[in-house]
Amino acid sequence: MKKIISFLIAVSFVTGLCSCSEKSDSKVGENSSRISTAPLDPELIGTWMNDLNGYKFGENRKVSLVVDYSESAHFTPDGAFQTMNALIPKGNVDYDGNRIYVTNTAYSEEYSEDLTSVLIDMVRLDENNTETFDGHYHILGGVATDVLANQLGFAPGKLYFEADIEGEKLTIYMVDCFDYEIVDGKIDIFSDLLNYIDESATALSYDYTIDNDTLNMTLQGIENVTTEVYSRIED
C-alpha cells in the first residue's frame, strides 16, 4: 500500500542533495474511475493537523496533504536555508521578491565529483515582497518535494505543491492530490494511482469522529492500527 500522510517520516536531505527525479505531466487525482457524489460532511471541511502533518478537506471533494516541514528545513532570519543536516548559506539562496531558488553543491560518490542540486524552487502566489520570504508559493520543484513524492510512491511531477512561509515555519501542501467522500459514516480517500489494502477495496477507508475541533481517524482493514488525532486549523 502506498504511504498516505500519516506514515510520512521526517525528511533527510543526505540522500537527496544530488538527486534528480523523472517528471510526468499526468497528475494525481486526474481521470479517476471513481466519482465522489455522496453528500459531504460540512464539519469535516477545512484543515486538520497534528504535530507534523494533516489533511485539508475541500468543498471540491478533493483532499490535500499538509506537512509542517519546519523540522526538516526552513529559512533563517538572515536568509539562509537550514536543513536537518546542514546550513545552506545565504549565498546559495537566490531571491528577487518573487522567486526563491535554493541550491547546494555536494560530492557525489556515484559520479566521483561535486554536483549541484536544487533543494527548493518556488514562486509567489501573492504579491511580490523583497523585504521578507513570508508568503504563499507554488513550488516548481527541488529535492524537498521530490523526497515527499517518493515517500508516497509517486513521481514528483504527478503532484502539485504549494507552500506557506511564516518566519522559520515552512508548510508544504500536496494540493488536491486525492478524491474523498463520506460513505456509511466513513471517510473514503481514493485515486486510481493508490494501492489499497486488497484487490476488492476501492479506497482507503477511515472511521472518523469530530468532537468540536478534534478529528479522530482510524484506518479500516488493518488490525491494531493507531487512531490518528488532528486539531482544526484556521485557514
Side-chain angles (χ1 to χ4, degrees):
M1 182 179 69
K2 293 207 169 56
K3 296 179 180 178
I4 201 72
I5 191 66
S6 58
F7 300 111
L8 283 173
I9 60 174
V11 176
S12 170
F13 281 84
V14 172
T15 58
L17 285 174
C18 293
S19 68
C20 56
S21 300
E22 182 179 343
K23 301 295 182 181
S24 169
D25 292 332
S26 61
K27 304 298 182 183
V28 172
E30 289 184 354
N31 302 317
S32 177
S33 60
R34 176 174 172 178
I35 305 298
S36 174
T37 59
L40 298 179
D41 182 350
E43 286 191 83
L44 181 64
I45 293 171
T47 302
W48 302 85
M49 293 288 293
N50 61 22
D51 290 338
L52 295 176
N53 55 61
Y55 302 87
K56 183 175 182 177
F57 295 96
E59 294 180 355
N60 61 352
R61 300 178 178 272
K62 299 287 187 179
V63 57
S64 302
L65 306 187
V66 187
V67 179
D68 183 347
Y69 214 70
S70 308
E71 290 188 4
S72 298
H74 62 265
F75 294 93
T76 66
D78 63 353
F81 190 60
Q82 179 68 63
T83 76
M84 292 176 66
N85 307 102
L87 178 66
I88 308 303
K90 183 177 179 179
N92 287 58
V93 181
D94 188 16
Y95 179 57
D96 61 2
N98 174 260
R99 186 174 185 177
I100 302 177
Y101 189 77
V102 184
T103 60
N104 185 71
T105 300
Y107 181 77
S108 170
E109 294 186 358
E110 180 180 357
Y111 296 100
S112 300
E113 62 178 324
D114 287 340
L115 295 178
T116 298
S117 60
V118 177
L119 298 188
I120 195 165
D121 179 14
M122 53 189 182
V123 294
R124 278 189 178 274
L125 293 173
D126 50 13
E127 293 185 2
N128 292 3
N129 190 336
T130 58
E131 301 299 320
T132 179
F133 290 155
D134 288 6
H136 187 59
Y137 293 82
H138 166 43
I139 302 179
L140 303 174
V143 171
T145 50
D146 288 355
V147 173
L148 286 177
N150 290 334
Q151 285 179 326
L152 285 168
F154 301 122
K158 291 182 178 291
L159 295 168
Y160 177 85
F161 293 95
E162 293 184 1
D164 283 325
I165 299 175
E166 184 178 355
E168 296 189 10
K169 185 177 180 65
L170 174 60
T171 305
I172 292 180
Y173 304 86
M174 289 163 267
V175 179
D176 291 351
C177 53
F178 304 120
D179 295 278
Y180 81 97
E181 66 179 338
I182 308 303
V183 179
D184 297 329
K186 295 179 172 54
I187 304 170
D188 275 7
I189 296 175
F190 55 93
S191 164
D192 285 352
L193 297 178
L194 279 173
N195 289 333
Y196 304 123
I197 295 169
D198 56 54
E199 292 183 358
S200 65
T202 61
L204 294 173
S205 187
Y206 291 84
D207 195 9
Y208 80 103
T209 60
I210 297 174
D211 183 9
N212 294 321
D213 290 331
T214 300
L215 168 66
N216 295 282
M217 295 174 56
T218 306
L219 182 63
Q220 302 298 288
I222 298 179
E223 294 183 0
N224 301 318
V225 67
T226 301
T227 296
E228 306 163 29
V229 181
Y230 300 93
S231 298
R232 188 187 297 276
I233 303 297
E234 293 295 330
D235 292 324

